[in-house]
Amino acid sequence: MYSYNCFLAHNEVGDSIDSPGISKDEFHDIMLKRQRLLPLSLNATATHDTKRGEDVRARLNVISEIPDRWIKDVRHWMKINRRLKSHINDKAAPDENEEYFIYQTLTGIYPFNQVIDENLLERIEGYLVKALREASINTGWQNPDEQWEVAIKGFMRKILEPQSEFLKSFLPLQKMISEFGINNSLVQITLKTTCPGVPDFYQGTELWDLSMVDPDNRRPVDFNNSMEILKSLIKRSHDNPRQLMGDLYNSRENGHIKLWMSHLLLKELELNPDLFANGKYIPLKVRGSQKNISWHMPGLTRIPGMWL
């Protein structure tokens, strides 16, 4: 799963790299079967073993909706960054497969403010080394090629230098993808909480989860901070609920909107346990110009009928 980097959103625990997506009718059939046979199974969107955070995948799923723009930009990035590669034993480092892995990774984990600090650079470096060794193509756990790993880390740092030609092209597209990714994330959490099964929230995913594979997704979580944010949101909701909703949307990049939606949805489960445990699943009828599109899981984002 680390050696085939065609579409990283599928390189995930419980997923399949050749998944073509499903239709809405197939989705409803799966949910009806789940309610009948596995009503208490966990609806998990992140665990200690996920290879990238749930909101990273929600962003990456957007790529499947803009394949022409994505492929055009990636080809441009590969062209302008070619001179930044190292050459080890007459082989360019990174190779194209690894380079494509880097572009997808950056698209998924880049901060909303689009500012990368040294801490994040070091986290990415650790992630790249683990991914390269897991792939066991140009380096590995048994026989690490430190020269190759240093070259990959150096390439990543070069393309992320301030005012680099790559960033001038990359940041506008990444900004657009992250905005659509928010929509995907909020839909994902709604389906996770309301579809048949028991919603499961991994530590720290109450706010935006832009983590990478372990140990990155096992860093300490500031639960006190999340609790204080929620207390403040509850108070503001009592004072002026309309104002709160507007503020949450306008500041959606801070993740408070995800926390508040999680709170509201879980309150509904608490207030209506019998409905969610034993209620009848009624497939909604979909109307509009996009009614016949397929869906991609996990993340449940639209796909245009083709894969990269």
Side-chain angles (χ1 to χ4, degrees), residues 19 49 54 61 71 91 119 139 164 170 176 190 194 217 239 249 260 265 281:
S19 174
D49 200 34
E54 62 182 52
N61 289 338
I71 293 172
K91 187 175 181 180
N119 175 260
T139 184
S164 71
F170 171 75
M176 181 188 73
T190 302
T194 59
N217 64 0
D239 295 340
Y249 182 78
W260 185 242
L265 290 164
Y281 183 89

Side-chain angles (χ1 to χ4, degrees), residues 40-294:
L40 298 180
S41 292
L42 291 180
N43 293 341
T45 48
T47 72
H48 68 288
D49 200 34
T50 40
K51 306 312 173 190
R52 47 198 57 83
E54 62 182 52
D55 299 311
V56 173
R57 295 196 310 273
R59 286 180 174 182
L60 292 176
N61 289 338
V62 178
I63 293 173
S64 67
E65 303 183 68
I66 54 169
D68 294 336
R69 167 75 184 275
W70 172 257
I71 293 172
K72 177 182 177 181
D73 281 11
V74 167
R75 286 173 175 165
H76 175 63
W77 301 337
M78 287 185 167
K79 180 180 179 180
I80 62 176
N81 291 335
R82 189 176 299 138
R83 61 183 179 81
L84 301 177
K85 293 187 176 187
S86 302
H87 285 82
I88 301 174
N89 297 324
D90 296 324
K91 187 175 181 180
D95 64 26
E96 288 189 345
N97 191 45
E98 294 166 344
E99 185 179 0
Y100 193 47
F101 179 93
I102 292 173
Y103 296 146
Q104 290 179 81
T105 297
L106 293 177
T107 299
I109 61 92
Y110 225 80
F112 280 103
N113 64 6
Q114 296 195 323
V115 176
I116 282 193
D117 58 19
E118 182 61 29
N119 175 260
L120 181 54
L121 286 171
E122 292 176 358
R123 286 170 52 204
I124 298 173
E125 286 181 335
Y127 176 60
L128 290 177
V129 169
K130 179 168 184 174
L132 291 168
R133 292 185 180 183
E134 291 283 343
S136 299
I137 296 176
N138 294 308
T139 184
W141 291 111
Q142 289 186 317
N143 298 296
D145 187 333
E146 295 186 2
Q147 185 180 10
W148 188 273
E149 294 170 3
V150 169
I152 305 306
K153 290 188 287 186
F155 174 81
M156 182 270 296
R157 284 183 174 263
K158 290 174 185 176
I159 67 175
L160 293 181
E161 288 180 354
Q163 307 303 317
S164 71
E165 190 174 358
F166 166 71
L167 284 183
K168 292 177 183 178
S169 171
F170 171 75
L171 291 181
L173 178 62
Q174 196 280 330
K175 180 70 173 177
M176 181 188 73
I177 288 175
S178 67
E179 283 293 321
F180 286 120
I182 290 176
N183 296 339
N184 280 348
S185 293
L186 298 180
V187 170
Q188 177 174 254
I189 199 171
T190 302
L191 292 172
K192 175 176 77 169
T193 310
T194 59
C195 285
V198 180
D200 181 78
F201 291 77
Y202 181 61
Q203 57 185 21
T205 60
E206 298 86 359
L207 300 170
W208 298 133
D209 175 21
L210 302 179
S211 61
M212 294 166 278
V213 76
D214 63 276
D216 194 66
N217 64 0
R218 302 179 190 177
R219 288 169 294 143
V221 177
D222 190 346
F223 289 108
N224 290 328
N225 178 59
S226 299
M227 192 158 44
E228 290 303 315
I229 294 173
L230 182 57
K231 288 179 180 178
S232 173
L233 295 177
I234 291 173
K235 181 180 184 303
R236 291 172 60 192
S237 177
H238 289 157
D239 295 340
N240 192 333
R242 182 183 293 272
Q243 180 67 40
L244 172 63
M245 297 308 296
D247 291 345
L248 285 173
Y249 182 78
N250 291 331
S251 60
R252 55 195 178 279
E253 294 183 352
N254 63 21
H256 295 185
I257 190 171
K258 184 183 181 186
L259 176 60
W260 185 242
M261 280 195 65
S262 302
H263 169 72
L264 293 181
L265 290 164
L266 290 173
K267 287 297 292 185
E268 288 299 317
L269 266 69
E270 181 183 35
L271 294 172
N272 302 282
D274 187 63
L275 171 65
F276 284 95
N278 304 307
K280 182 179 180 181
Y281 183 89
I282 304 175
L284 292 177
K285 293 183 179 180
V286 180
R287 300 176 179 175
S289 61
Q290 302 297 311
K291 65 181 180 180
N292 293 320
I293 58 174
S294 298

